[in-house]
Amino acid sequence: MKIIFNIEPVEQARPRATKTWKGIRLYDPKKVSTYKKQLGMMCKSQYKDKPLTGPLIVSLKFYRQVQSSVSKKRA
């Protein structure tokens, strides 16, 4: 089975912290939490009728656009 998710990867930023009356609460920045929710929903929609059985091997490949800050000069 091969599944392709057409979504741009987002770097995992450090968690943010807020102080509450119970202690400290950690949370992901909005960009990261939105990415995780979208990816989770894509996974659930792919596997809703197909329960997984037996051994599982996962291979991940990420493709993204070249950043504009990367130098185009070759050494």
Side-chain angles (χ1 to χ4, degrees):
M1 176 185 314
K2 182 177 183 179
I3 299 174
I4 298 173
F5 298 110
N6 192 13
I7 186 170
E8 178 95 17
V10 174
E11 67 182 30
Q12 174 67 49
R14 70 177 180 84
R16 305 293 186 220
T18 58
K19 190 173 181 181
T20 64
W21 62 277
K22 288 185 175 181
I24 296 175
R25 178 182 166 281
L26 294 174
Y27 64 95
D28 284 327
K30 182 144 180 89
K31 186 177 178 181
V32 175
S33 63
T34 302
Y35 170 77
K36 287 181 179 180
K37 287 177 187 174
Q38 287 177 339
L39 193 58
M41 293 193 60
M42 288 179 172
C43 290
K44 286 180 185 178
S45 69
Q46 292 290 325
Y47 287 114
K48 64 182 176 185
D49 296 328
K50 305 171 204 165
L52 299 175
T53 58
L56 177 66
I57 297 173
V58 178
S59 174
L60 300 172
K61 292 182 184 178
F62 293 95
Y63 299 95
R64 55 182 282 191
Q65 296 176 353
V66 176
Q67 294 175 338
S68 59
S69 63
V70 175
S71 176
K72 295 182 180 180
K73 294 181 182 179
R74 298 236 174 201

